[in-house]
Amino acid sequence: MNLILLGAPGAGKGTQAEILVKKLSIPAISTGNMLREAIANGTELGMKAKQHMDNGSLVPDELILGIVADRVAQPDCSNGFILDGMPRTLAQAEALENMGVKIDHVVSIEVDDAVIEGRMTGRRVCPKCGASYHIVANPPKMEGICNACGSELTIRKDDAPETVRKRLEVYHATTEILKEFYGKLGRLCIVEGNQPIEKANEEILKAIGAQV
Ligand code: AMP
């Protein structure tokens, strides 16, 4: 099953992707995590992406399409994958179709902007494995430490309030239109993201016809 998680930054795509990976036994492909890793490793991709990410704008489509095309061709994606944070533009969505990547379901996780702005201040991420936490809604077992790999958690630079507002603007101006694109193709389902993580996950599983 090939899935796309759509939604504004901070809607809970990464958190839901982590749970779905375990329940559906397919990998999550987070373009944001791939780009942060590229920046940490000082690669050419990372150097090209950094400034866009730091100021809350989008990384150029051609860079994203290159890394996604390579990633979905890996053997672990042969039974399906979860795209988290991609596509973000109409051009990216159309390119996926043109590449012959078949998308079964697109789940839009919906949360009001005001709630998102409040949420972002509590987000903590693992710089090593990309796991995502929230100090109130989804705290790690040990404060400040990643459950999955034991690394020290950090605050994303682009979670600063003014950058969050910019990212929300970009979402509404450029990404939200994808709901219409996938709606017309009959693949869109909408899930309320402002509810407990487990409840939202149950709704997602039901929406995509998987066992709850
Ligand atoms: P995320 O972790 O998904 O919130 O992504 C963090 C940042 O990475 C975004 O604000 C963009 O600058 C960049 N990014 C991630 N995915 C994409 C994408 N599909 N297209 C363009 N930029 C992206």
Side-chain angles (χ1 to χ4, degrees), residues 31-32 35-36 53 57 59 64 85-86 88 92 156 167:
T31 42
L35 294 169
R36 280 183 287 278
M53 293 175 76
S57 58
V59 170
I64 300 295
M86 194 277 174
R88 263 179 157 97
Q92 290 178 19
R156 274 171 53 170
R167 290 162 66 207

Side-chain angles (χ1 to χ4, degrees), residues 58-77:
L58 293 182
V59 170
D61 289 334
E62 58 274 17
L63 294 180
I64 300 295
L65 289 167
I67 58 175
V68 171
D70 286 349
R71 183 65 190 88
V72 297
Q74 299 293 311
D76 65 326
C77 291

Side-chain angles (χ1 to χ4, degrees), residues 9-16 18-19 111 114-126 130-147 153-156 159 164 193-197:
K13 300 184 297 294
T15 303
Q16 292 299 336
E18 280 173 39
I19 303 173
V111 180
V115 175
I116 286 180
E117 286 188 39
R119 269 187 189 184
M120 298 301 242
T121 53
R123 174 149 75 176
R124 300 291 180 273
V125 292
C126 175
S132 184
Y133 302 88
H134 187 278
I135 52 176
V136 179
N138 180 28
K141 289 187 185 116
M142 207 191 297
E143 198 184 319
I145 302 294
C146 178
N147 294 347
L153 300 177
T154 56
I155 298 176
R156 274 171 53 170
D159 279 349
V164 168
N194 192 15
Q195 57 175 332
I197 292 167

Side-chain angles (χ1 to χ4, degrees), residues 1-7 13 20 81-83 85-87 93 96-97 101-110 171 175-191 203-204 207-208:
M1 180 189 289
N2 298 336
L3 269 185
I4 288 174
L5 297 183
L6 266 187
K13 300 184 297 294
L20 291 170
F81 51 79
I82 303 158
L83 281 174
M86 194 277 174
L96 277 181
E97 296 290 310
V101 175
K102 192 185 164 296
I103 302 298
D104 299 292
H105 301 282
V106 178
V107 180
S108 175
I109 306 177
E110 314 250 322
Y171 171 75
T175 307
E176 205 167 17
I177 196 176
L178 296 181
K179 289 200 295 186
E180 205 180 306
F181 178 83
Y182 288 113
K184 280 189 188 145
L185 295 174
R187 300 185 203 151
L188 180 74
C189 33
I190 307 272
V191 166
E203 268 191 39
I204 294 174
I208 63 174

